[in-house]
Amino acid sequence: MSSSSCAVSPSVRTELLNPISSRFLAPSRIYHQPRGKCEMINRRGFALKGIMASGASVMGSSLTSQPVQAAERLPFKPDGYNFWTWRGRKIHYVVQGEGTPIVLIHGFGASAFHWRYNIPELAKSYKVYAVDLLGFGWSEKAIIEYDAMIWRDQVVDFLKEIVKEPAVLVGNSLGGFTALAAAVGLPELVVGLVLLNNAGQFGDTKAKTTKSEETFLQKSILKPLKEIFQRVVLGVLFWQAKQPARIESVLKNVYINTSNVDDYLVESIKMPANDPNAGEVYYRLMTRFMLNQTEYTLDSFLSKLTCPLLLLWGDLDPWVGPAKANRIKEFYRNTTVVNLQAGHCPHDEVPELVNKALVDWLSTLPTKASLQTA
């Protein structure tokens, strides 16, 4: 089964990318349009507000020069690239190049093709993988109970079964949260972590986690009524979010340079939302995943992280500002911060700057020959 998640209306806002996944099923006339923008953020109820922090006490730097035109873009293939069966589900991924492995993880609503300007350049020196998380892109849109740890487990198994050697994980937004969780879950195969405006939040040490039992009234009457109401409201929002004009409007609130919001990008977000099960996956993500994530916090994962961390931060992001990057660096000292004049998805907005900063940082890591697998 192909493809990606769902769409979200700008009125429903949290700090993860909008649940419209990008399978990039654009017609040929759109494929030749200039490069596009990233998935949008949904701001109201998602507790995963930023998720990446990193280590070594290194000086923060800032890249503000005007990017040059991207020379290469990942070729579009309507049927996808490679597939892997994980827990009986179909998972899509792209792989190019040779050398030390780099695994790219997209944000909420996007796909492996959101890294279309990064893969060809990085593949000149590294073996680059870009994987579609379950429910997004060309990966199966499974009707399951989604939980943040589902994607962590997927990436951990991807490293074990497909990559099979020490790698660097790179993630944007939700993909950053997933990369961080996977780096903690399988430290022997993760030698570096890169977060771009990641989702997630720091825990509230004062908050109490008392949980009261549901009464008969709540369980038998109020809960079913709430679900009916949610399905009606989210059904309307899902329909609205699939409309090209709405998609374009929301995208223009996320990217700094709105000229990058082109027909190619809009079409790539709209089409997967019409796939079978898209509406149900959207509903489950919005109600059972996005609103129940307070148990997963940045500090809980960062306290267990052991590898160098790089933060490539779009300082002009309207939802996840540079204050989060600063706090991550304060918490996890083995962190390098590179500030970029970009929005929430700098890898798509200023790919040339992101590619250069990433390659420069990768050159400081141990060489492949010195990496020891467990």
Side-chain angles (χ1 to χ4, degrees):
M1 183 184 303
S2 57
S3 144
S4 94
S5 227
C6 355
V8 117
S9 163
S11 63
V12 182
R13 302 187 172 187
T14 52
E15 271 201 8
L16 273 193
L17 291 184
N18 139 330
I20 310 176
S21 82
S22 311
R23 191 177 62 185
F24 280 58
L25 296 182
S28 58
R29 66 175 183 82
I30 294 176
Y31 173 65
H32 295 291
Q33 293 282 341
R35 73 167 184 261
K37 263 2 321 68
C38 99
E39 70 273 67
M40 54 224 79
I41 291 187
N42 169 355
R43 274 189 181 181
R44 183 165 42 108
F46 202 16
L48 290 177
K49 286 187 178 177
I51 216 167
M52 241 190 173
S54 159
S57 50
V58 236
M59 64 178 185
S61 59
S62 179
L63 298 179
T64 59
S65 60
Q66 290 295 322
V68 297
Q69 277 298 96
E72 296 182 65
R73 180 170 63 196
L74 182 71
F76 170 72
K77 292 187 177 182
D79 297 325
Y81 279 75
N82 305 282
F83 291 90
W84 163 57
T85 299
W86 177 68
R87 297 184 180 179
R89 306 292 187 180
K90 186 178 179 182
I91 302 296
H92 172 257
Y93 69 96
V94 176
V95 58
Q96 286 190 6
E98 295 295 335
T100 300
I102 300 174
V103 180
L104 307 175
I105 308 171
H106 63 80
F108 204 117
S111 69
F113 280 87
H114 198 209
W115 302 96
R116 60 197 183 277
Y117 294 108
N118 313 106
I119 294 171
E121 182 63 26
L122 296 175
K124 293 176 181 178
S125 303
Y126 301 92
K127 188 167 187 177
V128 183
Y129 295 87
V131 60
D132 285 350
L133 297 176
L134 185 66
F136 299 100
W138 274 263
S139 288
E140 184 170 340
K141 201 172 297 173
I143 303 301
I144 62 172
E145 297 303 316
Y146 283 90
D147 179 271
M149 296 302 97
I150 288 291
W151 296 311
R152 177 204 61 183
D153 294 346
Q154 178 191 333
V155 172
V156 164
D157 288 344
F158 185 79
L159 289 170
K160 291 178 180 178
E161 298 178 22
I162 302 298
V163 181
K164 299 180 180 179
E165 58 182 314
V168 173
L169 297 183
V170 182
N172 170 239
S173 195
L174 171 65
F177 167 78
T178 301
L180 174 58
V184 170
L186 193 66
E188 64 270 25
L189 282 184
V190 180
V191 297
L193 180 64
V194 183
L195 304 174
L196 296 90
N197 295 64
N198 57 272
Q201 65 181 3
F202 282 89
D204 184 356
T205 56
K206 298 180 181 180
K208 295 183 179 181
T209 58
T210 55
K211 186 177 181 181
S212 59
E213 293 186 7
E214 288 183 320
T215 65
F216 176 78
L217 177 64
Q218 290 172 324
K219 187 174 182 179
S220 62
I221 299 178
L222 297 182
K223 191 173 181 178
L225 287 176
K226 178 183 177 182
E227 182 171 348
I228 292 172
F229 176 76
Q230 287 176 330
R231 283 193 176 276
V232 171
V233 172
L234 290 174
V236 172
L237 293 180
F238 178 67
W239 179 85
Q240 289 180 335
K242 295 193 295 182
Q243 307 311 308
R246 179 59 62 89
I247 293 172
E248 181 178 357
S249 174
V250 176
L251 285 170
K252 287 184 175 179
N253 287 327
V254 177
Y255 279 72
I256 303 309
N257 178 6
T258 58
S259 66
N260 285 332
V261 180
D262 55 21
D263 291 343
Y264 173 60
L265 177 68
V266 172
E267 188 71 9
S268 73
I269 293 174
K270 183 190 75 171
M271 293 189 72
N274 293 323
D275 289 345
N277 296 333
E280 179 62 22
V281 170
Y282 171 76
Y283 172 78
R284 291 176 180 232
L285 288 169
M286 293 297 292
T287 59
R288 305 175 195 184
F289 168 65
M290 294 179 70
L291 302 180
N292 297 285
Q293 299 304 306
T294 53
E295 62 183 296
Y296 306 118
T297 62
L298 288 175
D299 44 301
S300 66
F301 285 109
L302 289 171
S303 63
K304 301 173 185 175
L305 188 65
T306 58
C307 65
L309 173 64
L310 170 64
L311 301 181
L312 295 178
W313 214 264
D315 283 351
L316 305 180
D317 185 341
W319 295 306
V320 187
K324 177 181 283 185
N326 295 335
R327 188 173 180 188
I328 290 173
K329 181 170 170 51
E330 290 175 3
F331 189 94
Y332 188 71
R333 299 188 62 81
N334 189 19
T335 301
T336 302
V337 180
V338 175
N339 302 99
L340 300 162
Q341 295 299 295
H344 187 69
C345 306
H347 59 293
D348 192 49
E349 189 169 352
V350 287
E352 300 84 4
L353 300 183
V354 167
N355 292 340
K356 181 181 185 306
L358 181 54
V359 169
D360 288 347
W361 180 77
L362 288 170
S363 69
T364 69
L365 298 180
T367 61
K368 182 176 179 179
S370 68
L371 299 177
Q372 299 297 316
T373 57

